[in-house]
Amino acid sequence: MNIERFEGTGRMSRCVKCNGMIYLCGQTDTTAADIQGQTKNVLAKVEDLLNKYGSDKQHMLAATIYVKTMDDFAAMNEVWDAWVENGHEPARACVQAEMARPEILVEVVVTACEK
């Protein structure tokens, strides 16, 4: 088994690759004030990391989305639905969660396969 870890911090890696699979750590954003802005920025980070490590959003297999409040579910989904390409939707879960910092409204964790 070949495991590669990238951008490690001593606590976690931003990306782990193993046997053609790509696992991204949770991506967050605090530069935007609302859920739609944060979701757009988070998905841009996800897309950049997938491209950097040999995949793309068409090769996503699963996504877990954490939202601070389900009151933001519909607004987050508007951004998600516009970003995910028809026919390439990953398996997905979305749950409400207490975030690591109060300003974080959404966190996305993605698993993909290499191109």
Side-chain angles (χ1 to χ4, degrees):
M1 182 174 305
N2 182 28
I3 300 173
E4 298 175 274
R5 301 173 197 281
F6 302 94
E7 300 182 52
T9 66
R11 177 177 292 164
M12 61 182 225
S13 297
R14 287 193 74 202
C15 176
V16 175
K17 291 173 73 171
C18 181
N19 296 333
M21 298 294 293
I22 296 173
Y23 304 89
L24 300 183
C25 71
Q27 299 300 306
T28 63
D29 176 71
T30 57
T31 62
D34 69 0
I35 188 68
Q36 289 195 325
Q38 284 194 19
T39 302
K40 286 177 188 174
N41 292 342
V42 165
L43 295 177
K45 286 182 177 183
V46 166
E47 195 163 358
D48 288 346
L49 284 169
L50 289 174
N51 288 324
K52 183 175 183 177
Y53 292 108
S55 189
D56 55 30
K57 64 183 181 177
Q58 293 84 13
H59 288 81
M60 285 189 303
L61 302 174
T64 303
I65 301 171
Y66 302 93
V67 291
K68 185 173 184 173
T69 174
M70 279 298 173
D71 293 341
D72 287 338
F73 184 72
M76 179 278 300
N77 271 328
E78 285 181 25
V79 176
W80 174 268
D81 291 345
W83 181 75
V84 172
E85 295 180 18
N86 195 21
H88 296 281
E89 303 89 343
R92 192 189 103 162
C94 183
V95 296
Q96 181 175 320
E98 189 170 331
M99 298 298 179
R101 293 190 312 241
E103 64 272 19
I104 298 172
L105 303 177
V106 63
E107 182 169 352
V108 178
V109 179
V110 166
T111 301
C113 61
E114 292 180 302
K115 290 193 238 181

